Amino acid sequence: MIAPSNCHSFFLKTPVLVLVRRDPRKLTLRTLREVKSVGDDPDLLTPAEVERLLTEHADTRPSILFGARRVRGEDLADRLAGRLFEEIGGVSLDLDSDLGKREWDDHANWIFPMDFIGRPQAPFNRYAATKETKARAPRHLAILGRNCPLQVHVPFASCDFMTSSFSIALHPDFGLVGNLDAGTEITMHDNLSDARQAFADIALTADSLELKSDAYATVTARLVDVTGSEITDADAELHLEATGGYLPKQRVVTQQGRAQFRVGALGLLAGDAFRVKTGFRHFSGVSELTFRVI
């Protein structure tokens, strides 16, 4: 299994306080704005209500728990003492709710979008949405007209929120509250690496890369981490494709991180070449081999 890790940056331009509640199978994002001007008797949340704000999960559709009622900054974090906030909205991702059958899948990048006012929107798997274009997160969010304070990097469908990694974008004036560790601070250059260390790669070898016409080779696929070390305690469904020849199987499931499949030079002539690619359901072409016909 890939060891989960969290990171954060201060790239969020919308001036909001980010609140995250994480449990093994449920994750909530809430946002709050600072209130600069209040009346003589602001309607403050009680200690019990503050506890609900911090620990109660939001609905899977965008919602508001307490609306325009104020909360003292010191009730959220000591560094926010003397400031007042009000909730903008919240949304949750619940692994036991109405998710599509294959939304929570191997090699998934879940985006918690937010409009430019700071209202959280329903989260989605970016790799499923950008399977054809492979647009990176900043580009896809620009197309949607959204910000993103929270991303979840899911290496395997067997993971939950305790075994996934997180990227958090924060505003420098407000930061993060809740029970999710913000992890290490990253730079813009680190951010553009697209969290590769959070996902498995696929290493391919074949018993031969040169085939006679209509002959077959056996390919071995291994799940590896970013350092190339083999992963043996997690499995994934690999999706296969070929640019030529014959591929009897289009999907294989690893066992202890390994899988084998056959590929043939069926119908090809000497001098032809073709590629075999492996990937995941929503992220294809992770690795490939080139075969030549002799």
Side-chain angles (χ1 to χ4, degrees), residues 133-212:
T133 65
K134 287 187 168 57
R136 303 183 74 171
R139 165 68 176 163
H140 191 62
L141 289 166
I143 293 171
L144 297 177
R146 294 290 183 266
N147 276 324
C148 177
L150 180 64
Q151 296 186 55
V152 190
H153 308 290
V154 186
F156 304 109
S158 58
C159 292
D160 59 17
F161 293 121
M162 306 309 289
T163 50
S164 298
S165 297
F166 294 83
S167 296
I168 311 147
L170 304 170
H171 191 280
D173 292 341
F174 301 101
L176 174 72
V177 294
N179 73 338
L180 180 65
D181 182 3
T184 58
E185 184 178 351
I186 61 171
T187 64
M188 177 63 76
H189 179 270
D190 296 329
N191 188 54
L192 292 176
S193 70
D194 214 20
R196 293 188 185 96
Q197 72 279 359
F199 295 107
D201 202 349
I202 305 169
L204 298 177
T205 55
D207 53 14
S208 177
L209 295 177
E210 295 185 337
L211 298 175
K212 293 182 178 181

Side-chain angles (χ1 to χ4, degrees), residues 17 72-74 76-83 85 173-174 177:
L17 173 64
R72 285 181 289 257
E74 54 265 37
L76 301 171
D78 291 342
R79 59 183 168 78
L80 300 173
R83 304 163 76 176
F85 295 86
D173 292 341
F174 301 101
V177 294

